[in-house]
Amino acid sequence: MKKTITYLITTQVLILASVASLLFSSCIIVHPDDEIIVEKKSTTAVSTTTSTPTVDTYNITCKNMTHFVVTDWCVKKDNIVTYANSGSNRAIRPDGGEDMITDLPEGYYKIYFSFEDDYQLNPDDYFSSDSVYLNQDVTYCLYQRNSTYTVECRSAGLTPELYLLGSDGSEITLVK
Protein backbone atom coordinates (compact mmCIF):
# COMPACT_ATOMS: atom_id res chain seq x y z
CA MET A 1 0.00 0.00 0.00
CA LYS A 2 2.92 2.30 0.72
CA LYS A 3 4.24 1.59 -2.73
CA THR A 4 0.88 2.50 -4.28
CA ILE A 5 0.71 5.79 -2.40
CA THR A 6 4.29 6.62 -3.29
CA TYR A 7 3.57 5.71 -6.90
CA LEU A 8 0.50 7.96 -6.98
CA ILE A 9 2.34 10.88 -5.40
CA THR A 10 5.25 10.47 -7.79
CA THR A 11 2.88 10.30 -10.75
CA GLN A 12 1.03 13.39 -9.60
CA VAL A 13 4.26 15.34 -9.12
CA LEU A 14 5.39 14.37 -12.61
CA ILE A 15 2.08 15.40 -14.11
CA LEU A 16 2.15 18.73 -12.27
CA ALA A 17 5.74 19.35 -13.37
CA SER A 18 4.82 18.55 -16.98
CA VAL A 19 1.84 20.88 -16.91
CA ALA A 20 3.91 23.63 -15.28
CA SER A 21 6.66 23.30 -17.86
CA LEU A 22 4.11 23.46 -20.69
CA LEU A 23 2.52 26.54 -19.19
CA PHE A 24 5.76 28.35 -18.56
CA SER A 25 7.31 27.40 -21.89
CA SER A 26 5.03 29.89 -23.63
CA CYS A 27 5.70 32.67 -21.13
CA ILE A 28 8.42 35.24 -21.47
CA ILE A 29 10.05 36.10 -18.19
CA VAL A 30 11.46 39.63 -18.24
CA HIS A 31 14.29 40.49 -15.96
CA PRO A 32 13.86 43.85 -14.20
CA ASP A 33 17.06 45.21 -15.75
CA ASP A 34 15.93 44.50 -19.34
CA GLU A 35 14.78 47.50 -21.36
CA ILE A 36 11.30 47.28 -22.87
CA ILE A 37 10.71 49.36 -26.01
CA VAL A 38 7.17 50.20 -26.98
CA GLU A 39 6.70 51.38 -30.56
CA LYS A 40 4.17 54.19 -30.82
CA LYS A 41 2.01 54.18 -33.92
CA SER A 42 0.13 57.25 -35.03
CA THR A 43 -3.60 56.83 -35.31
CA THR A 44 -5.92 58.87 -37.44
CA ALA A 45 -9.40 59.57 -36.24
CA VAL A 46 -12.02 58.16 -38.54
CA SER A 47 -15.43 59.73 -38.38
CA THR A 48 -18.15 57.16 -38.01
CA THR A 49 -21.00 59.63 -38.33
CA THR A 50 -22.64 59.93 -41.70
CA SER A 51 -24.18 63.19 -42.72
CA THR A 52 -27.37 63.19 -44.72
CA PRO A 53 -27.26 65.37 -47.78
CA THR A 54 -29.29 68.53 -47.45
CA VAL A 55 -32.10 69.01 -49.92
CA ASP A 56 -32.76 72.54 -51.10
CA THR A 57 -36.35 73.63 -50.61
CA TYR A 58 -38.26 76.51 -52.12
CA ASN A 59 -41.41 78.54 -51.51
CA ILE A 60 -44.36 79.37 -53.73
CA THR A 61 -46.23 82.54 -52.83
CA CYS A 62 -49.57 83.29 -54.42
CA LYS A 63 -51.07 86.79 -54.60
CA ASN A 64 -54.76 86.98 -55.51
CA MET A 65 -55.20 89.98 -57.79
CA THR A 66 -58.78 89.02 -58.78
CA HIS A 67 -62.02 90.21 -57.20
CA PHE A 68 -62.90 86.66 -56.08
CA VAL A 69 -61.98 84.85 -52.90
CA VAL A 70 -59.72 81.88 -53.53
CA THR A 71 -61.38 79.37 -51.21
CA ASP A 72 -58.55 76.83 -51.49
CA TRP A 73 -55.22 76.36 -53.21
CA CYS A 74 -52.43 73.81 -53.21
CA VAL A 75 -49.57 72.48 -55.31
CA LYS A 76 -49.04 68.92 -56.46
CA LYS A 77 -45.54 67.54 -57.12
CA ASP A 78 -45.14 65.20 -60.09
CA ASN A 79 -48.95 64.87 -60.06
CA ILE A 80 -48.58 62.60 -56.99
CA VAL A 81 -47.80 64.41 -53.71
CA THR A 82 -50.01 67.32 -52.66
CA TYR A 83 -48.58 70.19 -50.61
CA ALA A 84 -50.76 72.69 -48.78
CA ASN A 85 -50.52 74.86 -45.69
CA SER A 86 -53.00 72.75 -43.77
CA GLY A 87 -55.39 69.85 -44.06
CA SER A 88 -58.35 72.19 -44.42
CA ASN A 89 -59.18 74.69 -47.14
CA ARG A 90 -56.77 77.60 -47.39
CA ALA A 91 -58.39 80.87 -48.50
CA ILE A 92 -56.73 83.92 -50.07
CA ARG A 93 -58.66 87.16 -49.87
CA PRO A 94 -59.27 89.13 -53.09
CA ASP A 95 -57.50 92.27 -54.35
CA GLY A 96 -53.95 91.58 -53.16
CA GLY A 97 -54.27 88.91 -50.48
CA GLU A 98 -51.45 86.37 -50.42
CA ASP A 99 -50.48 83.02 -48.99
CA MET A 100 -47.32 80.88 -49.14
CA ILE A 101 -46.53 77.18 -49.31
CA THR A 102 -43.04 76.55 -47.97
CA ASP A 103 -40.34 73.86 -47.96
CA LEU A 104 -41.04 72.42 -51.40
CA PRO A 105 -38.28 70.23 -52.84
CA GLU A 106 -37.06 70.96 -56.36
CA GLY A 107 -39.19 69.44 -59.10
CA TYR A 108 -42.24 69.75 -61.33
CA TYR A 109 -45.46 71.09 -59.80
CA LYS A 110 -49.00 71.94 -60.81
CA ILE A 111 -50.79 74.74 -58.96
CA TYR A 112 -54.49 74.35 -58.12
CA PHE A 113 -57.06 77.04 -57.20
CA SER A 114 -60.72 76.81 -56.24
CA PHE A 115 -63.28 79.56 -55.92
CA GLU A 116 -66.13 77.26 -54.85
CA ASP A 117 -67.72 77.96 -51.50
CA ASP A 118 -68.44 74.32 -50.64
CA TYR A 119 -67.29 72.70 -47.41
CA GLN A 120 -66.10 69.58 -49.25
CA LEU A 121 -64.42 70.43 -52.54
CA ASN A 122 -64.18 67.98 -55.43
CA PRO A 123 -61.33 67.68 -57.95
CA ASP A 124 -63.46 69.29 -60.68
CA ASP A 125 -63.87 72.41 -58.46
CA TYR A 126 -60.24 73.42 -59.13
CA PHE A 127 -58.47 75.37 -61.83
CA SER A 128 -54.98 74.03 -62.53
CA SER A 129 -51.80 75.15 -64.22
CA ASP A 130 -49.50 73.28 -66.54
CA SER A 131 -46.45 71.75 -64.88
CA VAL A 132 -43.90 74.30 -63.74
CA TYR A 133 -40.36 73.49 -62.69
CA LEU A 134 -39.51 74.84 -59.23
CA ASN A 135 -35.82 75.48 -58.55
CA GLN A 136 -36.10 78.88 -56.83
CA ASP A 137 -38.52 80.80 -54.65
CA VAL A 138 -41.27 82.22 -56.83
CA THR A 139 -44.29 84.48 -56.41
CA TYR A 140 -47.30 84.00 -58.68
CA CYS A 141 -49.91 86.72 -59.08
CA LEU A 142 -53.34 85.39 -60.01
CA TYR A 143 -55.13 87.57 -62.59
CA GLN A 144 -58.38 87.42 -64.54
CA ARG A 145 -58.26 88.36 -68.24
CA ASN A 146 -61.91 89.31 -68.49
CA SER A 147 -62.96 91.65 -65.69
CA THR A 148 -66.64 91.51 -66.71
CA TYR A 149 -67.08 88.04 -65.20
CA THR A 150 -69.89 88.32 -62.66
CA VAL A 151 -71.92 86.13 -60.33
CA GLU A 152 -74.47 85.73 -63.13
CA CYS A 153 -71.71 84.31 -65.37
CA ARG A 154 -70.81 81.81 -62.67
CA SER A 155 -74.44 80.71 -62.25
CA ALA A 156 -74.68 80.32 -66.05
CA GLY A 157 -71.76 77.87 -65.93
CA LEU A 158 -69.22 80.20 -67.51
CA THR A 159 -65.71 80.25 -66.09
CA PRO A 160 -63.39 83.22 -65.89
CA GLU A 161 -60.18 83.23 -67.88
CA LEU A 162 -57.48 83.06 -65.21
CA TYR A 163 -53.70 83.17 -65.48
CA LEU A 164 -50.62 83.45 -63.30
CA LEU A 165 -47.76 85.88 -63.74
CA GLY A 166 -44.62 84.61 -62.06
CA SER A 167 -41.79 86.58 -60.52
CA ASP A 168 -39.56 84.41 -62.72
CA GLY A 169 -41.16 85.99 -65.84
CA SER A 170 -43.51 83.11 -66.64
CA GLU A 171 -47.15 83.40 -67.65
CA ILE A 172 -49.30 80.36 -67.01
CA THR A 173 -52.91 79.94 -68.14
CA LEU A 174 -55.18 78.09 -65.73
CA VAL A 175 -57.69 75.53 -66.99
CA LYS A 176 -60.64 73.92 -65.31
Side-chain angles (χ1 to χ4, degrees):
M1 176 119 153
K2 259 184 170 183
K3 281 186 178 186
T4 310
I5 293 177
T6 308
Y7 175 74
L8 287 174
I9 292 174
T10 309
T11 308
Q12 288 178 350
V13 169
L14 285 172
I15 292 174
L16 285 174
S18 298
V19 171
S21 67
L22 284 173
L23 288 175
F24 289 118
S25 68
S26 62
C27 294
I28 300 173
I29 299 174
V30 179
H31 189 272
D33 293 336
D34 289 342
E35 185 177 341
I36 300 174
I37 300 173
V38 178
E39 182 181 345
K40 291 186 179 181
K41 292 185 178 180
S42 64
T43 58
T44 56
V46 177
S47 175
T48 58
T49 59
T50 57
S51 62
T52 56
T54 58
V55 176
D56 291 335
T57 59
Y58 305 99
N59 304 325
I60 293 180
T61 303
C62 180
K63 290 186 179 184
N64 183 5
M65 305 308 284
T66 70
H67 299 296
F68 308 107
V69 174
V70 173
T71 56
D72 190 31
W73 80 290
C74 62
V75 296
K76 201 170 199 180
K77 185 177 189 315
D78 300 326
N79 214 18
I80 298 171
V81 180
T82 301
Y83 293 88
N85 279 337
S86 66
S88 57
N89 294 353
R90 190 70 185 190
I92 305 174
R93 64 180 173 78
D95 302 318
E98 67 180 63
D99 194 21
M100 179 187 296
I101 297 176
T102 60
D103 300 325
L104 300 169
E106 184 173 347
Y108 285 96
Y109 291 86
K110 284 189 174 184
I111 306 169
Y112 293 86
F113 296 95
S114 179
F115 300 94
E116 300 297 324
D117 205 11
D118 296 335
Y119 173 74
Q120 182 64 41
L121 296 172
N122 297 310
D124 59 337
D125 292 334
Y126 287 86
F127 287 83
S128 70
S129 70
D130 286 333
S131 289
V132 295
Y133 190 75
L134 183 65
N135 61 357
Q136 64 181 350
D137 290 345
V138 66
T139 299
Y140 289 110
C141 293
L142 176 65
Y143 289 101
Q144 175 186 348
R145 287 201 199 280
N146 182 357
S147 61
T148 60
Y149 181 80
T150 62
V151 174
E152 291 82 25
C153 294
R154 180 187 267 179
S155 63
L158 300 173
T159 58
E161 193 174 332
L162 300 169
Y163 66 99
L164 297 171
L165 284 180
S167 59
D168 59 355
S170 62
E171 182 175 321
I172 304 162
T173 302
L174 299 177
V175 294
K176 186 134 184 182

